[in-house]
Amino acid sequence: MTFRFDSSAVNSSELHCWPPMRVYNAERGAQWLAVADLVYLKGEENYTWLHWTNGQRVLVSYTLKRVEAKLPSTWFIRLHRHYMVNRQFIDRIEFTPTGVFVHLATGQALPISRRRWSCIRKELTVL
């Protein structure tokens, strides 16, 4: 079973007004990147990978919980203990025998934990 999510119904002007995030990359140095272009985050122990719309990945030395506190909670949804997603990039939600997955407009599929599924379903149906 698959649910489609209409991201055009979401007013993203609030997200575009959010201040840019300062990240440091070894090759490029310090950069200011728009939070609206942040597709998803993947936590790995004490580090977090930030995945952007242009395909760029940046590793920051903060836990996912710490980065989550700096992002607008109305736009970023915690799917799993390792994943957060920007709701404007959600394309559809798919139920499979192995679990529930969020498919993003950029092509990635991220798992939703069983424990968080009921809260996520309520958040997405509110929109």
Side-chain angles (χ1 to χ4, degrees):
M1 178 174 12
T2 303
F3 289 109
R4 290 268 177 206
F5 182 72
D6 184 16
S7 61
S8 65
V10 178
N11 182 5
S12 62
S13 63
E14 174 193 336
L15 186 60
H16 289 287
C17 294
W18 198 264
M21 181 181 286
R22 183 173 187 257
V23 294
Y24 182 79
N25 188 338
E27 294 95 32
R28 297 184 184 138
Q31 294 178 290
W32 291 94
L33 299 172
V35 174
D37 295 335
L38 182 57
V39 179
Y40 73 96
L41 299 85
K42 181 180 181 193
E44 292 182 3
E45 295 182 13
N46 291 328
Y47 297 92
T48 301
W49 283 102
L50 307 174
H51 295 262
W52 306 89
T53 54
N54 62 2
Q56 182 180 4
R57 288 182 349 151
V58 178
L59 182 66
V60 294
S61 60
Y62 300 116
T63 62
L64 184 58
K65 184 176 182 177
R66 187 168 173 191
V67 177
E68 178 182 11
K70 296 179 184 283
L71 295 172
S73 61
T74 56
W75 285 97
F76 287 87
I77 301 171
R78 186 77 177 254
L79 302 175
H80 190 276
R81 72 179 179 160
H82 294 293
Y83 292 101
M84 267 188 88
V85 67
N86 185 338
R87 71 171 54 211
Q88 75 176 351
F89 293 104
I90 295 175
D91 182 37
R92 69 184 195 276
I93 298 173
E94 182 178 24
F95 296 88
T96 65
T98 58
V100 183
F101 292 89
V102 167
H103 290 269
L104 304 177
T106 56
Q108 292 92 352
L110 305 176
I112 298 176
S113 69
R114 289 176 298 189
R115 186 176 61 113
R116 294 183 191 264
W117 168 237
S118 62
C119 294
I120 292 170
R121 185 180 66 215
K122 289 176 189 172
E123 278 188 52
L124 293 178
T125 55
V126 167
L127 296 176

